Amino acid sequence: MRPRWNRNAFVYLLILVAVVALFYRFAAPSPEPTEIPLSEVAALVKAGKVEKISVEGDILTLTVREGNGLTEKTSRKESDAGLTEALLNLGVTQEQLSGIKEIVYEPPSRTGDWVSLLLSYLPLVGFGLLLMFMLRQAQSGNNQALSFGKSRHRLVTGDKPNVTFEDVAGVDEAKEELSEIVDFLREPEKFTTLGARIPKGVLLVGAPGTGKTLMARAVAGEAGAPFFNISGSEFVEMFVGVGASRVRDLFEQAKQKSPCIVFVDEIDAVGRHRGSGLGGSHDEREQTLNQILVEMDGFDTDTKVIVIAATNRPDILDPALLRPGRFDRRVVMDRPDMNGRKAILEVHARGKPLADDVDLLTVAKTTPGFTGADIENLLNEAALLAARRDKKAIGMEELQEAVERVVAGPERRSRLIRDEEKEIIAYHEAGHALVMHELPKCDPVHKVSIIARGMALGYTIHLPEDDRYLVSRTKFEDDIAATLGGRAAEEIVFDDVTTGANQDMQEVTKLARAMVMQYGMSKDLGPRTFGRKEELIFLGREISEQRDYSEMVAQKIDEEIKDIITRNYERAKSILTGQRQKLEEIAKKLVEQETLDGPEFEAMFAQS
Ligand code: ADP
Ligand code: MG
Ligand code: ZN
């Protein structure tokens, strides 16, 4: 593209210069008003009026006496004759010639002409260059606009896949479901001869970081099939109508390389319920989505292209995407359970030296709710910590510290806290920990600390013993009480409250509201939900909530929430006043040594 374009520009430039030069030539002929014929020059010489003649090529410049003054006149001689010769031919005598004071022969300065020519055209050349530059800008912009319809997918693995099922751990069911697809991609004939219809589309569903993208690549890797990857959000770009042409282009390329996989990441970006968009962008999305559907429907039985899409919001997808013959297969990528987490830890621990004391099962136990991405991050943090401590291998210490980092952010030991404040923080955290310990449904205390971490001034980490899938009402209430334990302790001990509990208040309100409105756990209002969440499509966030209940019920809901919170606040307070001695003890110990880990904390209760 480039060289050809340059040539074009050069041609344009030449034409431009030529045109301008011609224009100059005709529109402004060089003005020579006082040019006189050579015969007149001879007459002037005869009259003895010529003071000086300078000869420059064929051009004569005469200085002529006129009255008292001097004027300049120009003339022209024949190029093959000398000046004196020419004048003598016109009847001028030698004496008359010698009457001229000076005859100067200047070297014919064609070069001077060129310089002046160049100088006079210099601004023009500058202008031309500017024009060229602008043209180039426009051209490159144009290029972009023209090639915009080409999808920016990359042929990632091509024929050399590098990710396999080995690299994806803890999602055995998903692997099982997808192994059929792998088989098909490996030996499509085996299926097509039997007339089996292979799924055209597979939808991977799971929370962010559960390995959906990884899994899609692993399927291609296992099968050794080319992998076309495009993200849904890439479709939704500047120009209208481009998304659809991108889809067309993508599938065209994919068909040429079949059997292969087309992976549409974040399909929710284009696949939301149609017709529900706000603003102008939904038309574009609809067209793109339609084109995907058209392409998928257009597959012949022998088209060996499998479309895998990923989303973490299957609930908002357009039903048309999910009907049979399209993305009718759903593969759920769950958050891994304990064994899954151990397996993922093992995958990512490859190539990282681990110390002998490391037990990955223990780490897996302390990381409920972690996704694959969290675990990868955890191991990376641990490796960084070990490197910072000049260790040869990653120890258990680093792994535990890394878990806390991932959960609560890095420690900020440098933050200076006055003793007085330190005491308040200590009582606050002791309050949390003590209530947590006393209430049966709360998770065991994993660590209490008054070292600032992330945004928090102190923290109490509690970790469940097992993975939990159901939360009971009593668990909700106990958690609320434990979260209020910090403020309750402040009030009991100092008879005052601080801003330190801000986060706790938000948490508590969220929990109580969810109990009443989402889980139907309120005794008065009964087992039903309140409010329908509406989403603002282009932000993907819920910003309005549609009321499906009356004003009276709204008031009831508020009362109920308030009731839950105050009830549990009193509960926390009564636990703490009943155990005032223990509260003091824990707080003192915290001020002294700043952190208490789980076993240390439990030991304080064993003594008495
Ligand atoms: P998603 O697409 O679901 O948001 P990704 O596939 O991008 O998640 O996962 C991010 C990273 O987390 C992966 O590159 C991988 O290193 C790690 N990861 C996630 N899930 C797993 C898993 N099941 N096994 C191994 N690694 C995983
Ligand atoms: Mg992803
Ligand atoms: Zn708190």
Side-chain angles (χ1 to χ4, degrees), residues 294-467:
V294 165
E295 292 288 346
M296 289 181 75
D297 289 346
F299 285 178
D300 302 328
T301 32
D302 58 340
T303 308
K304 300 168 194 99
V305 178
I306 292 180
V307 187
I308 299 183
T311 181
N312 49 2
R313 301 293 314 273
D315 51 315
I316 58 167
L317 287 182
D318 195 291
L321 269 176
L322 306 173
R323 67 142 235 239
R326 288 168 180 167
F327 293 99
D328 47 357
R329 291 251 171 139
R330 280 210 203 185
V331 175
V332 177
M333 302 284 290
D334 269 325
R335 279 173 198 271
D337 59 9
M338 195 176 69
N339 289 324
R341 290 195 298 273
K342 180 161 173 279
I344 297 173
L345 278 165
E346 276 158 6
V347 166
H348 287 286
R350 273 189 227 148
K352 291 192 176 75
L354 297 181
D356 293 338
D357 67 329
V358 170
D359 178 16
L360 290 180
L361 188 64
T362 315
V363 180
K365 270 184 191 160
T366 55
T367 49
F370 274 41
T371 62
D374 290 332
I375 290 171
E376 188 194 13
N377 185 17
L378 157 76
L379 274 169
N380 191 46
E381 286 283 341
L384 288 174
L385 281 172
R388 207 176 298 155
R389 292 171 187 168
D390 285 329
K391 289 198 175 175
K392 287 274 176 293
I394 301 166
M396 204 60 188
E397 208 185 316
E398 281 83 31
L399 283 168
Q400 260 148 15
E401 166 86 32
V403 172
E404 281 155 31
R405 264 175 176 250
V406 173
V407 172
E411 275 188 358
R412 297 207 316 223
R413 281 182 185 277
S414 59
R415 177 172 253 189
L416 281 179
I417 290 169
R418 282 181 297 122
D419 284 350
E420 189 191 324
E421 284 197 350
K422 208 166 167 179
E423 206 183 353
I424 298 175
I425 297 166
Y427 273 104
H428 180 104
E429 295 307 329
H432 283 309
L434 186 53
V435 176
M436 247 174 239
H437 180 268
E438 292 300 311
L439 290 175
K441 289 289 172 77
C442 283
D443 302 327
V445 174
H446 179 74
K447 189 172 187 176
V448 197
S449 174
I450 56 167
I451 295 170
R453 197 185 261 287
M455 293 299 288
L457 292 171
Y459 56 95
T460 305
I461 297 179
H462 51 99
L463 289 172
E465 276 159 328
D466 304 302
D467 296 308

Side-chain angles (χ1 to χ4, degrees), residues 167-171 206-215 263 265 310 333 336 344 347-348 371-374 376:
D167 300 296
V168 194
V171 276
T210 45
K212 299 180 295 293
T213 309
L214 187 70
M215 185 57 121
F263 178 55
D265 211 348
M333 302 284 290
I344 297 173
V347 166
H348 287 286
T371 62
D374 290 332
E376 188 194 13

